Amino acid sequence: MTAVRRDLLPDSAEVGSSGRLSIGGCDVLELVSEHGTPLFIYDETHLRTRCREAVAGFPDGVAYATKAFLCGAMARLAYEEGMDLDVATGGELAVALRAGVPADRLVFHGNNKSSAELAAAIDVGVKRVVVDNSDELDRLENLHRTGYQAPSVLIRVNPAVEAHTHEYLQTGIADSKFGFPLDGGEAAAAVMRARASSAMDYHGVHAHIGSQVYATSSFRKALEVLAPFVEESGATELSVGGGLGVAYVGDETAPTISDWAHSVAEAAGALGIACRITAEPGRSIVASAAVTAYTVGVIKPISGIRTYVAVDGGMSDNPRPVLYGSGYEAFLARRTDADRTMPVRIVGKHCESGDVIVAEAMVPDDIAIDDVLVTPVTGAYGHSMGSNYNMALRPPVVFVSNGAARLVVRRETHEDLLRRDVGI
Ligand code: LLP
């Protein structure tokens, strides 16, 4: 296999004459010497460019879905670039607020928001609460009765549209835990109730059909299904959710954020949807902005079968291969453009066989112990879905740009782990 495709790397990635990878003008091997591995390296300019592309594509408003990757610096960056932020738990809300994002730039999501979460969101004055179900309508009514303000709401609708993606990532099919079904009349009843209620201020409709969706036709299909409902429901806003897919490996291509926005606007226009159109992308903002750097610790040939390369992270910093069978590329930071001729399986250091990073990887045949191995397109749903499995310490995050690196999340320490352990 040839060298890794350049467009899978962050925008500012460069390869020096010696073959060494730099991102944001920072040499990756030097970043590793300073911060250790595993290490998430985000290209800040790449992040800002994608945010701006989203803001330009959705002039009526666009929220960054923080579940894809969240820390204070990311929240601040998305806000600075003009995005609202989608937060789906009290925890995401707390991080965004602490980063200085004004509450009226936050869209509050969740399919099972507690009364405490709703109360906190209303107290600070979030821009929208996206209501998922009737029990949440009850909770909002109850809160209002005890003196809470009426929040601005969107009603989350399930349009029962099959998006082309992994079944775990489909959220808009009929058999789903998310939203009010459109077909059975539940969505219409919810809108009626919200419009009549003094406990909430109805603004419109939300639909999110799934994640890692490549086909803009899937979004068009959802709009077709939703158009009559949007009209009947008196919506002044329709949020099309997030879900735009990205390329992870060599043979994949994906529409750009602008392509997606353009096709949404075009379809909405053709269908006569006249209200404001908003969106909330996560993955497409952050995925290819980052790479993960690991250190190779073990190279184990099993004769006649395969060679395992074990790195110092694994399913605790990237559970996506285990959860969804997702593919990734891998290459060596010291030989970025090298041909990759040696088939290996890249695994982590966790105590189970499923702890795979790249099941069928090709790497340069001079791969050696202590080499720094890089996996690109790890900016979305890696750090955010990371865990402490085996009491692993969650990795740090650096933002790089213009030759400077800043640590935005430090590496976890054993003290961090022990601090919550209060039972002895
Ligand atoms: N809005 C809502 C209501 C969502 O549920 C999601 C993602 C988004 C926006 C952002 O979607 P995006 O643009 O990032 O596709 N852990 C999975 C992805 C789960 C997506 C959950 N919801 C993965 O690693 O592929």
Side-chain angles (χ1 to χ4, degrees):
M1 197 193 267
T2 50
V4 66
R5 225 173 72 194
R6 219 31 112 66
D7 66 300
L8 295 177
L9 303 182
D11 291 348
S12 69
E14 282 176 354
V15 182
S17 53
S18 63
R20 283 165 73 135
L21 174 67
S22 73
I23 302 173
C26 297
D27 181 82
V28 165
L29 292 172
E30 281 171 24
L31 290 172
V32 163
S33 307
E34 183 169 352
H35 299 284
T37 53
L39 175 65
F40 283 93
I41 304 166
Y42 279 80
D43 174 352
E44 184 165 346
T45 311
H46 180 128
L47 291 170
R48 291 187 186 279
T49 306
R50 294 304 181 281
C51 291
R52 282 176 207 167
E53 192 181 345
V55 168
F58 293 96
D60 293 336
V62 57
Y64 165 60
T66 62
K67 68 206 78 179
F69 165 61
L70 181 61
C71 61
M74 183 62 213
R76 175 82 59 101
L77 183 154
Y79 164 59
E80 281 170 359
E81 295 301 340
M83 296 189 84
D84 293 335
L85 271 69
D86 148 6
V87 292
T89 61
E92 289 177 352
L93 176 68
V95 174
L97 290 173
R98 202 186 71 158
V101 180
D104 66 3
R105 300 289 294 274
L106 301 177
V107 178
F108 194 51
H109 264 286
N111 75 304
N112 179 15
K113 306 174 189 76
S114 68
S115 289
E117 284 174 321
L118 287 168
I122 295 170
D123 257 341
V124 297
V126 297
K127 179 176 187 172
R128 297 276 185 274
V129 173
V130 182
V131 180
D132 180 89
N133 55 69
S134 301
D135 299 305
E136 188 176 339
L137 289 171
D138 292 345
R139 278 177 206 145
L140 290 173
E141 300 273 9
N142 287 337
L143 286 169
H144 191 58
R145 268 194 289 278
T146 60
Y148 283 87
Q149 299 276 318
S152 298
V153 302
L154 298 181
I155 297 294
R156 180 162 180 177
V157 170
N158 179 356
V161 166
E162 207 170 310
H164 292 286
T165 184
H166 191 286
E167 82 174 289
Y168 288 4
L169 307 182
Q170 290 183 341
T171 47
I173 53 171
D175 184 359
S176 164
K177 71 171 180 169
F178 296 106
F180 292 92
L182 192 62
D183 283 346
E186 288 93 335
V191 166
M192 224 152 67
R193 185 170 163 195
R195 289 177 83 173
S197 173
S198 57
M200 62 204 82
D201 186 10
Y202 170 78
H203 280 254
V205 174
H206 174 285
H208 170 78
I209 55 170
S211 197
Q212 183 59 359
V213 179
Y214 284 140
T216 50
S217 59
S218 295
F219 294 98
R220 209 160 41 236
K221 216 157 62 179
L223 286 176
E224 275 164 24
V225 172
L226 286 163
F229 183 76
V230 170
E231 173 79 33
E232 287 153 26
S233 66
T236 57
E237 175 179 345
L238 167 63
S239 170
V240 298
L244 176 65
V246 302
Y248 281 91
V249 292
D251 58 351
E252 293 174 341
T253 52
T256 65
I257 295 171
S258 307
D259 294 339
W260 175 50
H262 184 72
S263 91
V264 166
E266 203 174 59
L271 291 161
I273 299 176
C275 68
R276 299 171 54 228
I277 306 272
T278 58
E280 49 197 28
R283 185 191 319 264
S284 53
I285 301 287
V286 293
S288 59
V291 304
T292 308
Y294 300 101
T295 301
V296 173
V298 173
I299 300 174
K300 183 186 288 184
I302 312 280
S303 43
I305 301 183
R306 69 171 82 248
T307 296
Y308 283 89
V309 170
V311 297
D312 53 353
M315 61 195 288
S316 55
D317 57 75
N318 187 0
R320 299 193 70 258
V322 186
L323 282 173
Y324 318 117
S326 308
Y328 285 85
E329 299 272 350
F331 60 93
L332 297 180
R334 65 177 166 83
R335 291 191 68 202
T336 310
D337 279 336
D339 277 350
R340 295 169 298 166
T341 52
M342 181 177 165
V344 299
R345 174 161 292 176
I346 299 169
V347 297
K349 62 179 291 169
H350 294 283
C351 302
E352 56 181 283
S353 301
D355 176 29
V356 170
I357 304 267
V358 187
E360 307 290 340
M362 295 295 282
V363 293
D365 58 9
D366 66 342
I367 186 169
I369 301 301
D370 291 335
D371 255 337
V372 172
L373 185 105
V374 175
T375 51
V377 204
T378 54
Y381 301 109
H383 192 268
S384 67
M385 292 205 301
S387 74
N388 287 124
Y389 183 36
N390 292 135
M391 291 288 161
L393 301 175
R394 281 174 291 188
V397 178
V398 291
F399 277 15
V400 292
S401 74
N402 298 319
R406 60 184 176 118
L407 183 68
V408 297
V409 179
R410 67 159 170 77
R411 188 179 303 284
E412 218 162 19
T413 62
H414 288 152
E415 290 70 49
D416 291 329
L417 295 180
L418 297 174
R419 198 169 296 142
R420 292 190 311 128
D421 189 337
V422 294
I424 305 167

